[in-house]
Amino acid sequence: MHSLLSGPLSTQRLTVKIAGLPASLQGKKLVQMSDFHYDGLRLTEKMLEKAIAVSNAAKPDLVVLTGDYVTTTTAPIHQLVLRLKHLQSRYGIYAILGNHDIYYRQSKAEVTAALTSIGIHVLWNQIAYPLGQELPLVGLADKYSKEFNPAPVMNQLDAATPRIVLSHNPDTAEILQAWRVDLQLSGHTHGGQINIPGIGPVGRYYKKLVRYIPSKVRRRVSFLRKDYSVLHHWEWAQGLHQLGKNQLYVNRGLGTYLPGRLFCPPEVTLITLKSG
Ligand SMILES: [Fe+2]
């Protein structure tokens, strides 16, 4: 994908307040990257190299990857991990899978194995403790998978314990309101991809626009079918959102789909934790 279509990489810096964050975790730095869609088409080597360099320069305590490493075929994951091997993180790299990583029956196993082979911890309805027992990191199955079921995982945590939750699709924030989620990190939206200043992501008008496409065409193309929806909550297409006591951050991702990104640059997120 030509950088003209995507715009330059943007580094988003934010400080997130977490209630009850222990003093020892004050100021810890996280990097989030998402939606690589590494398939030789949607992400340039240059953009990927730059993103990795930005992450390493931040000297993060933790790096999290929130899904969609590939687009359809899983073959490119084996090249992608050769690049991701250069990521540096004090307490490790943790990843979840997106809907594109489970596209075919064998995708999930193959993407997981490739990421694992370079030491990345893939969480699928699992809890990890890279920053210690006082701040669990939850990684959920993708919302479009049959295994998306947060209750058995979330219920393992004591309500008094702050936690960070990785969940590819930001729509899950609605369901996750049943639990304490100090910080949910998501991707999937590509920021709405085409974002008109003052109006917002064009994707939210998708259902209205799609009516003008002949039904014969619509039936053949999966994402034009009536029941298909990339996202319900377009208001969560990017950035930090407060949902009651829960917080959601949506990363715009790195890969670009045609017709390109407009006012929606690819993103690396640098998050500093603060007690609040
Ligand atoms: Fe996705």
Side-chain angles (χ1 to χ4, degrees):
M1 185 63 61
H2 198 277
S3 62
L4 265 181
L5 290 174
S6 69
L9 182 69
S10 94
T11 305
Q12 222 63 51
R13 287 181 177 79
L14 68 150
T15 300
V16 174
K17 282 188 185 172
I18 293 189
L21 186 78
S24 59
L25 297 181
Q26 180 89 257
K28 284 275 179 282
K29 277 186 277 178
L30 273 63
V31 163
Q32 181 194 6
M33 280 188 256
S34 202
D35 298 81
F36 296 84
H37 291 283
Y38 191 73
D39 58 1
L41 196 70
R42 294 174 171 86
L43 177 63
T44 62
E45 291 296 330
K46 228 178 163 181
M47 180 72 72
L48 180 58
E49 233 170 68
K50 185 127 193 256
I52 292 170
V54 166
S55 178
N56 289 346
K59 300 201 184 322
D61 295 292
L62 193 64
V63 172
V64 297
L65 310 175
T66 44
D68 282 359
Y69 307 92
V70 295
T71 303
T72 47
T73 163
T74 47
I77 190 69
H78 304 288
Q79 303 307 311
L80 177 62
V81 294
L82 297 178
R83 317 293 189 272
L84 295 181
K85 232 164 61 176
H86 300 293
L87 276 173
Q88 294 154 10
S89 172
R90 191 155 181 213
Y91 298 109
I93 304 170
Y94 288 75
I96 52 166
L97 303 182
N99 50 312
H100 286 272
D101 306 315
I102 55 172
Y103 197 86
Y104 295 114
R105 193 183 302 193
Q106 79 288 358
S107 297
K108 183 186 165 223
E110 195 178 342
V111 173
T112 302
L115 293 170
T116 307
S117 76
I118 57 157
I120 295 180
H121 307 273
V122 180
L123 303 177
W124 181 265
N125 291 330
Q126 284 161 300
I127 308 173
Y129 296 88
L131 298 175
Q133 293 294 317
E134 290 162 308
L135 188 64
L137 178 70
V138 181
L140 297 177
D142 182 63
K143 187 172 182 272
Y144 294 156
S145 79
K146 289 192 184 86
E147 286 151 71
F148 177 73
N149 180 21
V153 194
M154 297 303 291
N155 289 341
Q156 289 173 44
L157 298 173
D158 190 301
T161 309
R163 73 288 306 267
I164 295 173
V165 178
L166 309 179
S167 184
H168 179 67
N169 188 323
D171 278 341
T172 56
E174 197 178 327
I175 299 154
L176 289 170
Q177 280 188 290
W179 294 275
R180 170 178 181 166
V181 178
D182 298 82
L183 178 60
Q184 172 179 342
L185 296 174
S186 297
H188 180 64
T189 64
H190 301 188
Q193 185 135 39
I194 294 183
N195 203 18
I196 312 286
I199 295 178
V202 165
R204 70 168 68 181
Y205 307 104
Y206 166 84
K207 282 218 162 117
K208 282 180 190 157
L209 293 170
V210 99
R211 285 195 303 228
Y212 299 101
I213 299 168
S215 59
K216 250 191 195 165
V217 177
R218 259 188 276 159
R219 272 197 299 272
R220 284 173 151 200
V221 185
S222 68
F223 67 87
L224 294 177
R225 279 187 214 125
K226 244 190 188 159
D227 56 347
Y228 185 91
S229 176
V230 179
L231 190 69
H232 292 286
H233 291 280
W234 282 103
E235 71 276 22
W236 300 337
Q238 57 179 307
L240 188 65
H241 303 271
Q242 190 83 38
L243 292 92
K245 282 186 176 170
N246 289 358
Q247 296 182 95
L248 163 69
Y249 185 80
V250 185
N251 172 299
R252 289 189 301 266
L254 289 168
T256 297
Y257 273 85
L258 281 170
R261 288 170 174 266
L262 191 60
F263 304 110
C264 183
E267 168 179 351
V268 173
T269 321
L270 309 182
I271 302 165
T272 305
L273 302 182
K274 194 182 164 184
S275 75

